[in-house]
Amino acid sequence: MNHVTGLINLHEDNDLIKEVTKIRPIATIPFAGRYRIIDFILSSMVNSGIVSVGIILPNKSASVLDHLRSGKDWDLARRHEGLYYMTPLDTNSRTHPSELRTLYQNLDAMHRNVYDYVLLSGSRSVFNMDFNNALRFHQNTKADITMLYYKNLQKKFSPCTVLQTQETGLVTDIANQPVADDNASVFMDIYLMSQKIFMDIVKYTYERGGSDFLLDGIMRTQKKYNIYGYCHNGYVSIVNSTLNYYHTSMDLLDPQIWHELFLNKFPIYTRIKDDVPARYKADAHVSNSLISNGCVLKGQVENSILFRNVKVDAGARIRNSIIMQGCRIKENAFIENVICDKNVMVDVKKVLKGADDYPFIIEKNTVI
Amino acid sequence: MKRVECLAMILAGGQGSRLGELTKKIAKPAVPFGGKYRIIDFPLSNCSNSGIETVGVLTQYKPLELHTYLGTGEAWNLDRKNGGVYILPPYTREKGADWYKGTADAIYQNINFIETCDPQYVLVLSGDHIYTMDYSWMLEEHKMNKADATIGVIKVPLKEATRFGIMSTDKTGRITAFEEKPKKPQSNLASMGIYIFSWKILKEYLEKDSADNLSEHDFGKNIIPKMLADNARLFSYAFDGYWKDVGTIESLWQANMDLLKEKPSLDLGGTWRIYSANPSLPPHFVAPGAKIKNSLISGGAFVEGNVENSVIFPGVHVGKGTKIINSIIMPFSSIGENSVVEKAIIAQNCEITDNCHICSEDGSIVVIAEGKLVMAPDEENKQVG
């Protein structure tokens, strides 16, 4: 796949997941104990053999740069190609900052590197897939654009893009909906197309006032192109709301999903931190949980995900919660249905409880 | 090349025959330790954290896995433009070839390499000790003493002193006597196998030593006694942290168990980070019904059974109803259901099937060699029948 360039768009709507995106885009929300959400798409690209990946940076990009750096941890620090960043160039422009503006401003750079295909993706989907099959599908159907989707198994209440396809895969309708029905074909936010078509769409749409690739670029020009849908069979979750983040995290406690995402032949890469293995002390009691390196456990943990370097003191109890990197839960504190962002300290005997279907969120660096 | 002030040379060629089954396929420094590390991570991380960025690693015995593991040295932050990790196996010359005949000979055969680095000091380390130490302080003392050689020493119990190189010092720390593995030790100051030499002087001694046919070409047996006899300036550098030679099954097991103490004397979680080549694995999974007590568990492990006082490496699977007690399970080994593993070291990629009972009757440590398949006796009979 070295004739494909990956592009990851980090301009994403965070209206429904504001609490953990004050300081970062959705792409760098910590996830699954040691990862950031962007690791899934990035690792899938690398594992599929893509060696050139562009990151379309959003406004809050400090955490993105801190996480990805040279791309070394994804094997993308290369002499030629590798990881590259697309930043907005002209801030005095009359148009609003958007992915299309950044892409348009960086078209020159794309002209210099000639690829056959562009794989354009969002950064908030959790999955582990090989894009080679999608590419073969794209070539066989002679599609102009291939949109990747998955079959939604349960009714999910979070905004999504739903595709209608014919048996051949030809897309007949694209709709933005607030609810994905049972068995709907939900768009994974991943497109495959030739570099030429990609550049044409960016140019044509931006010059006519467009800002969103899907709404202005694809939906408005739908008739012009031959669009096919490729169905990915496997676990997919799009993290676009807080509740969805919580449920997707809890999905990982299903060993099958944990295996599929992390222990199939393609690993998920992330920035390496060199922490010690988790240390369980004599009174630790852990069940049905994911525990990361660097944790020190003296209390009780149940149905929860603990990120790196979380300390659970004696007598503390954690249930159905997500505790991010560097948190400390002190003696006899009790936590249930809670998402603790990084470096939260919960003091002795404090009780924090969220509802089953509405987790309580504690912002980064809070001391309670 | 830019001049290097202090060059580190890690002796990593030993077979480690006392580790038996564990070193059948790999060299001793590549043996896994502490839940995610390998033994050589310790000297390499110590070098990196001490600001020593040029490190030669001398390899000889079964080096493939060790070489692969070292790679570019990136894991230890030693992929430097100037310096970095140099892998130095023995090589052939115009007139034949030589294996490394001893620790001193290994350094002697690499004089060419050392000269290209043009160091003032050479730090000689072993690839089989577990400890964390800031070598830069030792180097400061070496310079302050205007020493020809400085030897890292640690106090050991007198009854164990017969296993080490033992030295006596005067008030200033200058070494007055040195004896390798003495029968009647005069002191309890043991050599840790850590030496700093002023290069010019060491070079002279190495050249003389190589010409001496009776010499065993060993630092402890030949070079140090020779320097002492010549009244060279030899100083000791006292170290009082955790230090363990993990050259035997017993000591390797013990050093792993030491990490499980309430307050381990070797703090791997502190600021002195031990680096290692990390596999890309998720956090470990603790299934409902699992019980883990007083243990170290690493990423990618899947625990359904009971684990007590044990060290579990990445990718290990512990099945339902299985009990792991006082044991070390190395990377990617899997243990089936309803088995018992007690006081054992299970090497990498082993498979222990259901209903196995692995423990010794006399309380000694059981070792299962790399890649072995172990089945319960009745299962085996079935297969034979």
Side-chain angles (χ1 to χ4, degrees):
Chain A
M1 274 203 142
N2 55 9
H3 48 292
V4 180
T5 182
L7 282 177
I8 303 179
N9 174 24
L10 272 61
H11 285 267
E12 283 176 316
D13 183 10
N14 63 349
D15 278 355
L16 297 172
I17 185 163
K18 282 217 162 104
E19 298 89 341
V20 282
T21 54
K22 259 193 188 158
I23 35 144
R24 51 170 95 93
I26 294 180
T28 51
I29 297 175
F31 180 76
R34 65 188 288 253
Y35 303 92
R36 307 274 180 158
I37 291 172
I38 195 175
D39 293 341
F40 292 87
I41 174 66
L42 199 52
S43 302
S44 289
M45 284 182 174
V46 170
N47 288 331
S48 302
I50 297 176
V51 293
S52 147
V53 178
I55 305 291
I56 306 163
L57 285 175
N59 288 334
K60 291 171 278 193
S61 53
S63 76
V64 181
L65 295 170
D66 179 55
H67 182 62
L68 300 179
R69 300 183 298 165
S70 68
K72 197 183 204 173
D73 292 320
W74 294 263
D75 217 5
L76 284 173
R78 298 188 177 230
R79 286 251 138 155
H80 306 288
E81 306 181 321
L83 195 68
Y84 60 97
Y85 294 99
M86 289 192 174
T87 55
L89 296 180
D90 176 14
T91 46
N92 294 325
S93 167
R94 282 186 299 153
T95 49
H96 291 294
S98 70
E99 68 218 41
L100 266 181
R101 193 174 86 174
T102 308
L103 284 170
Y104 184 78
Q105 289 168 340
N106 285 279
L107 273 183
D108 266 1
M110 289 213 83
H111 269 296
R112 278 198 302 270
N113 296 312
V114 180
Y115 295 95
D116 294 346
Y117 300 101
V118 173
L119 187 82
L120 173 67
S121 170
S123 57
R124 57 187 181 177
S125 301
V126 173
F127 59 85
N128 186 354
M129 78 178 282
D130 180 353
F131 293 120
N132 282 292
N133 294 335
L135 179 64
R136 225 162 288 141
F137 174 89
H138 180 76
Q139 289 164 337
N140 289 344
T141 53
K142 300 200 167 56
D144 293 322
I145 299 166
T146 296
M147 296 172 80
L148 277 60
Y149 68 88
Y150 70 101
K151 285 282 181 197
N152 186 48
L153 297 178
Q154 298 148 348
K155 198 165 185 162
K156 264 189 196 155
F157 292 87
S158 61
C160 57
T161 306
V162 173
L163 307 181
Q164 302 287 342
T165 56
Q166 287 177 356
E167 227 166 82
T168 54
L170 189 73
V171 174
T172 52
D173 188 34
I174 307 170
N176 265 332
Q177 293 179 354
V179 180
D181 286 329
D182 207 10
N183 222 23
S185 303
V186 178
F187 178 44
M188 287 169 72
D189 223 351
I190 303 175
Y191 311 85
L192 190 57
M193 64 192 95
S194 69
Q195 190 182 20
K196 181 172 182 308
I197 290 178
F198 171 75
M199 286 173 40
D200 285 349
I201 293 177
V202 170
K203 204 156 174 289
Y204 181 88
T205 316
Y206 181 75
E207 285 168 355
R208 278 152 192 81
S211 62
D212 188 281
F213 194 86
L214 176 69
L215 296 177
D216 306 318
I218 300 291
M219 285 182 168
R220 272 207 247 156
T221 55
Q222 202 179 333
K223 298 226 165 54
K224 216 161 121 188
Y225 296 107
N226 231 345
I227 303 177
Y228 276 76
Y230 171 82
C231 183
H232 168 62
N233 299 311
Y235 180 84
V236 180
S237 181
I238 299 173
V239 179
N240 54 7
S241 70
T242 309
L243 199 55
N244 217 326
Y245 171 77
Y246 182 68
H247 287 316
T248 310
S249 297
M250 289 304 162
D251 278 351
L252 300 171
L253 297 178
D254 177 344
Q256 247 182 328
I257 295 176
W258 181 77
H259 266 276
E260 183 191 324
L261 284 177
F262 299 112
L263 297 178
N264 79 19
K265 63 178 172 166
F266 291 141
I268 302 294
Y269 310 101
T270 190
R271 182 171 170 193
I272 282 165
K273 293 272 169 71
D274 287 292
D275 289 312
V276 291
R279 283 161 285 179
Y280 287 74
K281 298 294 183 183
D283 297 324
H285 195 100
V286 178
S287 125
N288 200 33
S289 297
L290 282 177
I291 312 289
S292 305
N293 281 356
C295 286
V296 180
L297 306 161
K298 295 177 188 165
Q300 280 186 39
V301 182
E302 197 187 330
N303 305 330
S304 297
I305 295 172
L306 267 54
F307 284 65
R308 300 191 254 218
N309 294 320
V310 170
K311 308 225 168 3
V312 182
D313 290 354
R317 284 165 61 206
I318 300 174
R319 293 192 62 210
N320 307 334
S321 296
I322 297 164
I323 314 291
M324 290 188 199
Q325 195 180 329
C327 288
R328 168 133 195 216
I329 314 299
K330 288 202 164 182
E331 284 96 346
N332 301 318
F334 177 68
I335 286 186
E336 189 173 355
N337 304 329
V338 168
I339 299 174
C340 284
D341 205 328
K342 285 164 76 175
N343 305 321
V344 165
M345 208 263 279
V346 178
D347 210 350
V348 181
K349 286 188 185 163
K350 290 284 186 296
V351 177
L352 301 171
K353 217 171 154 188
D356 284 348
D357 54 354
Y358 203 90
F360 180 49
I361 299 160
I362 303 167
E363 282 180 28
K364 192 172 167 180
N365 301 333
T366 311
V367 177
I368 293 174
Chain B
M1 209 166 117
K2 217 166 91 183
R3 186 162 195 205
V4 176
E5 191 199 18
C6 182
L7 166 73
M9 298 290 270
I10 301 179
L11 301 162
Q15 180 185 352
S17 50
R18 286 171 303 156
L19 284 178
E21 298 280 356
L22 293 178
T23 52
K24 273 257 160 78
K25 292 186 183 165
I26 53 174
K28 180 157 68 168
V31 168
F33 177 84
K36 69 176 275 199
Y37 308 98
R38 290 176 189 250
I39 297 170
I40 197 164
D41 288 336
F42 288 81
L44 282 173
S45 302
N46 287 340
C47 283
S48 179
N49 290 334
S50 305
I52 295 172
E53 296 191 331
T54 311
V55 181
V57 181
L58 301 124
T59 63
Q60 176 160 282
Y61 173 79
K62 301 223 167 150
L64 178 64
E65 193 161 327
L66 188 56
H67 288 179
T68 313
Y69 184 69
L70 292 170
T72 59
E74 187 259 330
W76 305 270
N77 215 3
L78 290 172
D79 52 338
R80 304 267 62 88
K81 265 206 182 351
N82 278 304
V85 166
Y86 292 84
I87 296 174
L88 306 166
Y91 55 93
T92 56
R93 296 171 190 75
E94 299 85 2
K95 287 176 191 164
D98 277 319
W99 294 110
Y100 293 151
K101 292 187 290 274
T103 50
D105 183 53
I107 305 287
Y108 170 77
Q109 289 198 38
N110 284 292
I111 283 185
N112 279 342
F113 163 70
I114 297 172
E115 296 278 77
T116 58
C117 299
D118 191 17
Q120 276 169 285
Y121 309 100
V122 173
L123 168 66
V124 178
L125 303 167
S126 300
D128 51 4
H129 296 155
I130 302 293
Y131 63 106
T132 55
M133 177 176 176
D134 190 340
Y135 303 130
S136 61
W137 292 109
M138 183 170 167
L139 183 62
E140 280 309 306
E141 269 206 35
H142 179 86
K143 288 187 214 166
M144 250 163 44
N145 289 331
K146 297 195 168 58
D148 297 328
T150 301
I151 305 177
V153 296
I154 189 162
K155 283 196 174 113
V156 293
L158 206 55
K159 61 175 194 263
E160 280 180 37
T162 52
R163 288 171 41 214
F164 298 98
I166 295 297
M167 59 201 86
S168 310
T169 59
D170 67 12
K171 272 186 215 149
T172 60
R174 186 157 177 178
I175 297 166
T176 52
F178 180 92
E179 219 180 336
E180 187 71 17
K181 300 197 173 87
K183 291 207 177 76
K184 280 185 190 157
Q186 301 299 308
S187 102
N188 64 345
L189 280 182
S191 163
M192 300 163 71
I194 301 170
Y195 310 94
I196 292 179
F197 294 99
S198 295
W199 172 237
K200 266 190 205 156
I201 296 181
L202 178 64
K203 195 181 164 193
E204 279 171 32
Y205 276 90
L206 287 175
E207 280 167 347
K208 265 188 260 168
D209 178 73
S210 84
D212 178 359
N213 287 332
L214 294 173
S215 167
E216 287 180 55
H217 309 296
D218 186 90
F219 278 106
K221 285 178 194 152
N222 307 105
I223 303 286
I224 301 296
K226 193 90 205 328
M227 289 178 89
L228 205 58
D230 292 352
N231 214 11
R233 290 180 67 82
L234 265 68
F235 283 81
S236 65
Y237 175 78
F239 177 75
D240 60 359
Y242 182 90
W243 177 85
K244 192 126 190 147
D245 178 343
V246 287
T248 62
I249 296 284
E250 184 70 35
S251 62
L252 180 70
W253 182 83
Q254 189 56 51
N256 275 286
M257 292 301 133
D258 287 346
L259 296 172
L260 302 177
K261 288 183 180 152
E262 179 56 37
K263 284 222 163 77
S265 31
L266 179 68
D267 181 16
L268 296 176
T271 47
W272 194 267
R273 192 76 47 109
I274 301 300
Y275 309 102
S276 65
N278 285 266
S280 295
L281 288 171
H284 66 265
F285 189 89
V286 187
K291 270 194 197 132
I292 306 173
K293 274 200 165 85
N294 211 28
S295 295
L296 283 180
I297 317 273
S298 218
F302 188 87
V303 182
E304 297 179 280
N306 286 10
V307 178
E308 212 180 310
N309 294 324
S310 295
V311 177
I312 307 289
F313 281 76
V316 167
H317 181 241
V318 179
K320 270 187 199 125
T322 285
K323 273 189 184 160
I324 313 276
I325 303 159
N326 301 329
S327 294
I328 299 156
I329 319 287
M330 291 182 179
F332 298 100
S333 282
S334 119
I335 294 137
E337 294 179 6
N338 302 314
S339 289
V340 177
V341 177
E342 202 176 339
K343 206 172 180 188
I345 300 177
I346 314 259
Q348 303 103 291
N349 303 314
C350 285
E351 194 184 339
I352 317 286
T353 59
D354 300 349
N355 307 312
C356 286
H357 203 91
I358 295 179
C359 73
S360 68
E361 280 163 15
D362 57 357
S364 62
I365 299 157
V366 186
V367 179
I368 307 289
E370 190 176 339
K372 259 207 171 161
L373 171 70
V374 180
M375 286 190 285
D378 48 330
E379 283 291 317
E380 250 172 77
N381 292 342
K382 259 187 237 164
Q383 292 224 331
V384 174

